[in-house]
Amino acid sequence: MLLFGGLSLVSLFSAACSAYTPLSDETLQKLPSSGTDFDIKTGAILAPILRTRVSGTPGNAAVLQHFVDFFKKELPEWRLEFHNSTSTTPLSNGLEVPFRNLIATRDPPGTRPGDVGRLAMVAHYDSKISPEGFIGAIDSAAPCAMLLHAARSIDKALTKKWEATADSLELDEQQGVQILLLDGEEAFLSWTDEDSLYGARALAADWEFTYHPAMSTFRTPLDSIDLFVLLDLLGSASPAIPSYFKTTHWAYKHMAEVEKRLRGLGMFKSSPNHPANVAKRENKKPRAEPQFLPESDKPADRFYGGGIGDDHVPFMARGVEILHIIPSPFPKVWHEIEDDGEHLDMNTVEDWARLVTAFMAEWMDLEGHFDFPRTEQKQKREINFEEKTEFAIP
Ligand SMILES: *[C@@H]1O[C@H](CO)[C@@H](O)[C@H](O)[C@H]1NC(C)=O
Ligand SMILES: [Zn+2]
């Protein structure tokens, strides 16, 4: 039994690994920027999320509708599902509060649920009930916006890849991708096992016993998750994300590596060595390049397990592999009224959006399948040439 388990894990692992091709420099440079879509007042993606959206309130429903509208308009190939549950809360006087998770899935054509593993990208969209008027820009409006942007940025390349590989890829080499926008992460009164993670707990519990057809490769939607990447508290300047879990450190290293490469290519707007930031200061000397993910070289005996309660917990308890992208220490605005659009560091938000897009594109093995508009391609190449000549990483 043990040996059997060991063998099947090894073969799954090598299948996932053999498909991992880094993006070329050219692709990294041309990934679309989030640009005006992340404007906090008028941006088509971010602005509608920057409002109070406590679970069970009209603001929450409006943000959920915004996600649905976005997928229907921009990403019609993604299958949308609601996962609805109800629960009492310490503040609901015995009444049931509704919690609604939105699941957007894109699987290779011709596959059935249960045939393919998936990369699940996750953030919560509800906001905390107190202090009154709390917006939760890093917690987690900005992470939700990053996921919508990233999904849109890789969508056409997914189509092209699946067209190009329709006849050559075996079923077990195919992968799907999923965006989970979870409700009810925040506690109403104070954080306990019962007062927090309402949406995630209900979803993990239901998916554990939702069976795919007999003979499926993956027994349940929970088993189908190859990696659960949870984004939280992202959007303040100078974040440091530890590598929390030894079993997914290899995935952490992939994200850290693509971060390094984006920085080296001058694509990180928050970098002190980005030409725009160098131009603003007197001393033009290159500065030490920071990293959002600084723990690539963490020794194997330094993983103590994350003590952070968040939406991954009910999934991890059921054996799902987790990559938790949350800064430690938490940003200063965490759970303060200051956590609003105005306190986001927009360069950092845009850099995260680019990094998450690049990570997803590499995971989904999309190198060679991006089709950037021609005129834009030419313009960008000229800009990049200029940037390269001015730009040096120490
Ligand atoms: C779940 O909630 C959504 C959003 O309110 C609603 O549109 C949908 O009909 C609900 N689904 C079920 C099965 O109740
Ligand atoms: Zn929070």
Side-chain angles (χ1 to χ4, degrees), residues 60 64 67 80-85 98-104 123-126 179-185 197-204 206-207 311 315:
N60 180 283
L64 184 60
F67 297 146
L80 294 184
E81 279 167 88
F82 289 108
H83 173 270
N84 303 348
S85 61
F99 297 95
R100 288 163 297 217
N101 302 314
L102 181 64
I103 300 129
H124 78 86
Y125 73 90
D126 63 302
I179 307 286
L180 308 182
L181 297 160
L182 301 181
D183 196 4
E185 189 266 353
L197 313 181
Y198 292 91
R201 283 188 288 125
L203 183 63
D206 283 350
W207 272 5
D311 280 331
F315 291 84

Side-chain angles (χ1 to χ4, degrees), residues 164-229:
T165 57
D167 303 323
S168 58
L169 275 189
E170 299 293 329
L171 207 51
D172 66 0
E173 294 170 303
Q174 308 245 32
Q175 280 192 89
V177 58
Q178 200 159 52
I179 307 286
L180 308 182
L181 297 160
L182 301 181
D183 196 4
E185 189 266 353
E186 300 287 5
F188 282 82
L189 191 57
S190 64
W191 192 280
T192 65
D193 287 352
E194 286 75 41
D195 185 19
S196 67
L197 313 181
Y198 292 91
R201 283 188 288 125
L203 183 63
D206 283 350
W207 272 5
E208 185 177 11
F209 297 109
T210 303
Y211 295 106
H212 290 140
M215 308 300 290
S216 294
T217 310
F218 299 91
R219 226 163 42 105
T220 68
L222 209 67
D223 290 333
S224 299
I225 301 176
D226 289 330
L227 183 68
F228 182 105
V229 181

Side-chain angles (χ1 to χ4, degrees), residues 90-125:
L91 299 186
S92 71
N93 295 317
L95 294 178
E96 298 282 329
V97 174
F99 297 95
R100 288 163 297 217
N101 302 314
L102 181 64
I103 300 129
T105 307
R106 194 159 183 214
D107 286 339
T111 61
R112 298 163 313 167
D115 284 345
V116 291
R118 300 190 183 108
L119 172 65
M121 303 295 299
V122 190
H124 78 86
Y125 73 90

Side-chain angles (χ1 to χ4, degrees), residues 141-358:
C144 289
M146 292 165 198
L147 294 183
L148 298 190
H149 167 77
R152 185 178 59 184
S153 303
I154 64 164
D155 186 58
K156 289 206 175 62
L158 277 174
T159 306
K160 279 196 66 186
K161 182 204 154 149
W162 286 334
E163 279 167 9
T165 57
D167 303 323
S168 58
L169 275 189
E170 299 293 329
L171 207 51
D172 66 0
E173 294 170 303
Q174 308 245 32
Q175 280 192 89
V177 58
Q178 200 159 52
I179 307 286
L180 308 182
L181 297 160
L182 301 181
D183 196 4
E185 189 266 353
E186 300 287 5
F188 282 82
L189 191 57
S190 64
W191 192 280
T192 65
D193 287 352
E194 286 75 41
D195 185 19
S196 67
L197 313 181
Y198 292 91
R201 283 188 288 125
L203 183 63
D206 283 350
W207 272 5
E208 185 177 11
F209 297 109
T210 303
Y211 295 106
H212 290 140
M215 308 300 290
S216 294
T217 310
F218 299 91
R219 226 163 42 105
T220 68
L222 209 67
D223 290 333
S224 299
I225 301 176
D226 289 330
L227 183 68
F228 182 105
V229 181
L230 177 59
L231 310 185
D232 202 358
L233 306 185
L234 304 180
S236 294
S238 309
I241 317 298
S243 179
Y244 292 99
F245 303 117
K246 190 153 73 176
T247 57
T248 55
H249 187 56
W250 62 281
Y252 178 97
K253 286 191 347 194
H254 278 308
M255 194 185 281
E257 179 60 27
V258 78
E259 181 195 352
K260 250 184 224 159
R261 292 187 55 219
L262 283 165
R263 288 178 180 279
L265 292 164
M267 303 309 291
F268 254 44
K269 289 174 118 183
S270 65
S271 161
N273 298 306
H274 188 281
N277 297 326
V278 174
K280 273 188 238 151
R281 65 173 185 254
E282 216 147 277
N283 184 343
K284 308 285 182 204
K285 274 201 201 136
R287 297 208 173 150
E289 185 68 31
Q291 271 237 267
F292 292 175
L293 281 73
E295 291 198 340
S296 276
D297 300 326
K298 185 162 171 162
D301 59 359
R302 296 287 165 79
F303 291 85
Y304 306 114
I308 299 180
D310 206 345
D311 280 331
H312 64 295
V313 170
F315 291 84
M316 196 163 80
R318 292 169 172 85
V320 176
E321 291 290 354
I322 310 291
L323 181 61
H324 198 189
I325 303 297
I326 187 170
S328 177
F330 290 171
K332 284 207 178 61
V333 296
W334 175 66
H335 286 187
E336 301 288 345
I337 194 70
E338 286 77 26
D339 183 11
D340 57 14
E342 283 73 15
H343 286 80
L344 288 171
D345 184 78
M346 284 320 295
N347 285 341
T348 300
V349 174
E350 284 187 43
D351 291 347
W352 274 118
R354 199 178 291 274
L355 177 55
V356 169
T357 303

